Amino acid sequence: MSKVIHEFNDMIRKLRKELFGKGPERIHTVFVENMAVSTLYGNLTPTEMFISRSEEGRDMVHSARTKMVQDVYSESPPDGMEELVGAKLIHLFSDIKIKENIAISVFVFDKDIADKLNGH
């Protein structure tokens, strides 16, 4: 794994840990054109897993996990993220499958980052 991907994943993990008390257990990120697509595995805290045993609880955890993340990133990206990829973050799309405990985040930047970061 490239150093850039490792650093990018660490930024995501650290922010999620600060927000929710637990970061993802594993993150897989790929850079495609002007996007970083991150799949995050093992996101939920024991409390969230307990709450999500009901449909209402799943909806509540889903809403909190997606809205909070998007709100935080819209206020400002993690320190150093834009410098790391050499582009400005303009959008974050995020979703989570509660039962499967898998989330995906698509970071959209203002210019192509893939060629530079994939070593081309």
Side-chain angles (χ1 to χ4, degrees), residues 14-22 68-69 72-73:
K14 182 179 177 203
L15 179 69
R16 305 277 170 126
K17 185 170 176 141
E18 288 170 8
L19 280 177
F20 302 111
K22 180 184 186 302
M68 270 181 81
V69 167
V72 166
Y73 278 90

Side-chain angles (χ1 to χ4, degrees), residues 35-53:
M35 297 174 287
V37 181
S38 299
T39 308
L40 299 82
Y41 302 89
N43 301 279
L44 302 177
T45 66
T47 303
E48 288 171 321
M49 287 191 277
F50 177 79
I51 292 168
S52 66
R53 293 195 311 196

Side-chain angles (χ1 to χ4, degrees), residues 3-4 10-11 17 39 44-46 55 59 65 69 91 107 116 118:
K3 183 177 185 281
V4 173
D10 281 349
M11 288 177 188
K17 185 170 176 141
T39 308
L44 302 177
T45 66
E55 187 174 343
D59 290 345
R65 280 278 179 163
V69 167
H91 297 294
F107 302 83
K116 176 186 155 203
N118 290 326

Side-chain angles (χ1 to χ4, degrees), residues 10-111:
D10 281 349
M11 288 177 188
I12 295 170
R13 185 175 287 108
K14 182 179 177 203
L15 179 69
R16 305 277 170 126
K17 185 170 176 141
E18 288 170 8
L19 280 177
F20 302 111
K22 180 184 186 302
E25 293 162 10
R26 187 166 60 94
I27 303 173
H28 177 74
T29 297
V30 293
F31 297 116
V32 182
E33 297 175 359
N34 68 326
M35 297 174 287
V37 181
S38 299
T39 308
L40 299 82
Y41 302 89
N43 301 279
L44 302 177
T45 66
T47 303
E48 288 171 321
M49 287 191 277
F50 177 79
I51 292 168
S52 66
R53 293 195 311 196
S54 71
E55 187 174 343
E56 184 182 356
R58 277 190 298 280
D59 290 345
M60 193 170 69
V61 172
H62 180 272
S63 178
R65 280 278 179 163
T66 53
K67 180 138 181 50
M68 270 181 81
V69 167
Q70 290 175 343
D71 287 352
V72 166
Y73 278 90
S74 71
E75 288 169 21
S76 87
D79 289 341
M81 179 177 278
E82 293 177 334
E83 294 78 8
L84 180 67
V85 300
K88 181 171 175 35
L89 180 67
I90 52 176
H91 297 294
L92 170 68
F93 298 90
S94 187
D95 199 6
I96 188 168
K97 294 287 185 201
I98 300 300
K99 281 185 178 179
E100 295 83 357
N101 201 356
I102 298 172
I104 192 151
S105 290
V106 179
F107 302 83
V108 181
F109 294 92
D110 67 346
K111 61 185 175 187

